[in-house]
């Protein structure tokens, strides 16, 4: 009997590539997104169910879970993929922007996870795969709220794994490096404050380098393959680097002193080493 995966944020990028890959592997796929009527290519595939789900609208979560279970009877894997990046100087960020960033990347992810726990516990089986980032353990300029959310996802998942082990529920973190998706173009929300120009020269130095990292990053299919590996390897492993030199960067962050690694970040993003 085919297994079933439930994916949030499946309309584009990593979520879309993941839905395609699981389908190719013979799985049933529940592809959720804010506007499923736009998912014409996914909706045409056999054993793919496209459902509306906005992770910031908690009332939309349980109906999507219920509809998925009604169609496929059981869910084997949850992929928490929905997210976006708030970009810009922190001083220019509004309280509403920061709250929205956390609502999507952290609170929505937690609420979707909570909705699946009774089902996974009753089956004494399940895999929760959450898309974090190398930005959950490494920080770059102009992404402070985004990094804050990804560090939160890392801590949440690291703790949750111990609670769920007795129920044979595995928790996985995917840590992509730069990915060639619309994350750097369509996905980011840019913070701006009228009259605040103090950061303009800094932003002008950093932004071209950050954009270039996206243009030269790994395709989303690379991360989708790591997601599939994490979902199916059957081992109690938490973290999975994915593409974009993620493994090397995380290793350097682990081995190098803070000052030395910060110098590397400055050189790569600002163009100076100190």
């Amino acid at each position: 009997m085919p297994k079933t995966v439930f994916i949030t944020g499946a309309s584009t990028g990593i979520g879309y590539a993941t839905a395609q890959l699981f389908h190719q592997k013979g799985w049933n796929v529940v592809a959720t997104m804010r506007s499923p009527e736009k998912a014409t290519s996914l909706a045409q595939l056999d054993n793919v169910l496209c459902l509306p789900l906005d992770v910031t609208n908690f009332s939309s979560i349980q109906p999507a879970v219920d509809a998925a279970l009604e169609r496929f009877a059981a869910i084997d894997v949850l992929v928490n993929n929905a997210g976006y990046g708030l970009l810009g100087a922190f001083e220019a960020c509004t309280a509403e922007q920061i709250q929205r960033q956390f609502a999507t990347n952290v609170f929505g992810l937690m609420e979707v996870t909570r909705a699946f726990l009774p089902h996974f516990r009753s089956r004494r089986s399940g895999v929760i795969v959450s898309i974090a980032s190398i930005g959950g353990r490494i920080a770059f300029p102009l992404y402070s709220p985004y990094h804050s959310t990804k560090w939160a996802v890392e801590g949440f998942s690291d703790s949750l794994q111990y609670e769920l082990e007795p129920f044979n529920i595995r928790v996985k973190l995917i840590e992509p490096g730069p990915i060639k998706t619309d994350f750097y173009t369509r996905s980011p929300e840019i913070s701006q404050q009228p009259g605040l120009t103090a950061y303009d020269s800094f932003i002008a130095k950093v932004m071209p380098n950050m954009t270039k990292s996206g243009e030269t990053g790994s395709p989303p299919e690379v991360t989708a393959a790591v997601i599939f590996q994490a979902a199916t390897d059957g081992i109690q492993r938490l973290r999975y680097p994915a593409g974009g030199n993620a493994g090397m960067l995380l290793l350097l962050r682990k081995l190098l002193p803070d000052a030395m690694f910060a110098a590397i970040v400055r050189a790569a993003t600002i163009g100076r080493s100190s």
Side-chain angles (χ1 to χ4, degrees):
M1 183 175 179
K3 292 187 174 183
T4 302
V5 60
F6 185 106
I7 306 168
T8 66
S11 59
T12 61
I14 292 171
Y16 178 82
T18 300
Q20 291 277 6
L21 178 60
F22 274 84
H23 174 262
Q24 292 165 10
K25 297 289 188 179
W27 284 53
N28 300 321
V29 176
V30 183
T32 72
M33 60 204 74
R34 287 178 296 179
S35 303
E37 66 276 3
K38 298 178 181 178
T40 54
S41 58
L42 283 177
Q44 293 172 358
L45 300 175
D46 292 337
N47 296 326
V48 174
L49 176 64
C50 294
L51 293 174
L53 192 159
D54 179 350
V55 298
T56 66
N57 178 6
F58 290 178
S59 66
S60 74
I61 295 173
Q62 194 61 52
V65 175
D66 292 342
L69 291 174
E70 182 177 355
R71 171 73 178 272
F72 295 119
I75 307 295
D76 300 277
V77 175
L78 164 64
V79 178
N80 284 313
N81 170 71
Y84 75 98
L86 174 59
L87 170 64
F90 175 73
E91 188 178 346
C93 297
T94 66
E96 290 75 18
Q97 286 178 316
I98 296 169
Q99 289 164 4
R100 187 160 55 245
Q101 178 78 116
F102 272 81
T104 302
N105 291 10
V106 181
F107 305 139
L109 179 149
M110 288 179 169
E111 203 64 23
V112 173
T113 299
R114 193 206 311 272
F116 272 93
L117 292 183
H119 177 66
F120 285 163
R121 279 193 299 100
S122 69
R123 301 182 71 219
R124 300 192 69 82
S125 176
V127 182
I128 299 167
V129 182
S130 294
I131 312 306
S133 169
I134 60 169
R137 291 199 280 160
I138 297 172
F140 302 101
L142 302 181
Y143 280 95
S144 55
Y146 172 77
H147 283 303
S148 300
T149 65
K150 293 304 183 181
W151 285 58
V153 170
E154 291 265 345
F156 168 66
S157 302
D158 208 336
S159 177
L160 188 65
Q161 64 174 331
Y162 303 111
E163 299 174 26
L164 301 184
E165 280 177 6
F167 307 104
N168 195 36
I169 303 169
R170 294 185 175 89
V171 177
K172 310 281 187 168
L173 278 167
I174 310 300
E175 300 174 320
I179 302 296
K180 192 180 296 184
T181 70
D182 59 2
F183 178 87
Y184 298 92
T185 55
R186 182 189 67 84
S187 293
E189 178 180 357
I190 300 175
S191 62
Q192 294 178 325
Q193 186 181 117
L196 180 60
T197 60
Y199 298 95
D200 287 359
S201 62
F202 181 83
I203 292 171
K205 291 178 183 178
V206 172
M207 279 307 301
N209 294 321
M210 299 303 292
T211 301
K212 183 179 179 181
S213 69
E215 293 172 348
T216 59
S218 301
E221 289 77 13
V222 171
T223 298
V226 176
I227 293 170
F228 186 82
Q229 174 195 350
T232 59
D233 62 14
I235 63 175
Q236 199 71 39
R237 174 184 173 186
L238 179 62
R239 292 182 168 90
Y240 295 74
N245 296 322
M248 181 190 71
L249 288 169
L250 290 170
L251 179 61
L252 287 174
R253 184 65 188 94
K254 181 178 180 180
L255 297 177
L256 295 179
D258 287 352
M260 188 175 295
F261 190 81
I264 293 173
V265 172
R266 289 189 182 96
T269 58
I270 308 171
R272 59 187 177 89
S273 59
S274 60

